[in-house]
Amino acid sequence: MRTSIDKPYLISRMKDVAYFVLPDTTCTICNITMVNGYGVRGESACVDPRNFDAAVGREIAYENAFQKLWELEGYLLAERVSNHKVFQD
């Protein structure tokens, strides 16, 4: 039974990554779809449109979404470990 989470594991749980830039803004949204179909979103934006760089926006939005995965997958792992202990007792 898995007892820890690492970056390769999180990546293995990802099914798809999509990016959207909201029209007429500097706001980039990253949607990571997990293998179970659940979507996790992150975002980025810059104040001055002259500073907008789509590649940087995607990178920041991705990292924002990816950071959320640690918490979600950590909760799932804690639930699995807890259930495993209950069934062993």
Side-chain angles (χ1 to χ4, degrees):
M1 167 182 257
R2 175 176 283 280
T3 59
S4 65
I5 295 171
D6 56 18
K7 189 172 183 176
Y9 176 74
L10 292 178
I11 292 170
S12 78
R13 303 290 300 148
M14 294 166 48
K15 180 180 177 183
D16 187 45
V17 178
Y19 299 94
F20 309 92
V21 177
L22 298 179
D24 302 318
T25 74
T26 63
C27 183
T28 302
I29 307 293
C30 172
N31 186 74
I32 298 175
T33 303
M34 305 304 287
V35 295
N36 66 3
Y38 188 76
V40 179
R41 282 155 301 287
E43 63 181 67
S44 70
C46 66
V47 174
D48 187 342
R50 294 174 296 179
N51 295 330
F52 180 69
D53 181 322
V56 171
R58 285 191 300 272
E59 181 181 334
I60 293 169
Y62 174 86
E63 286 303 320
N64 183 267
F66 193 84
Q67 287 303 313
K68 295 175 184 179
L69 297 179
W70 292 101
E71 204 171 322
L72 294 168
E73 289 291 336
Y75 172 82
L76 288 174
L77 176 60
E79 188 71 11
R80 284 187 214 111
V81 168
S82 175
N83 286 338
H84 183 75
K85 287 179 182 176
V86 167
F87 291 122
Q88 284 187 343
D89 291 342

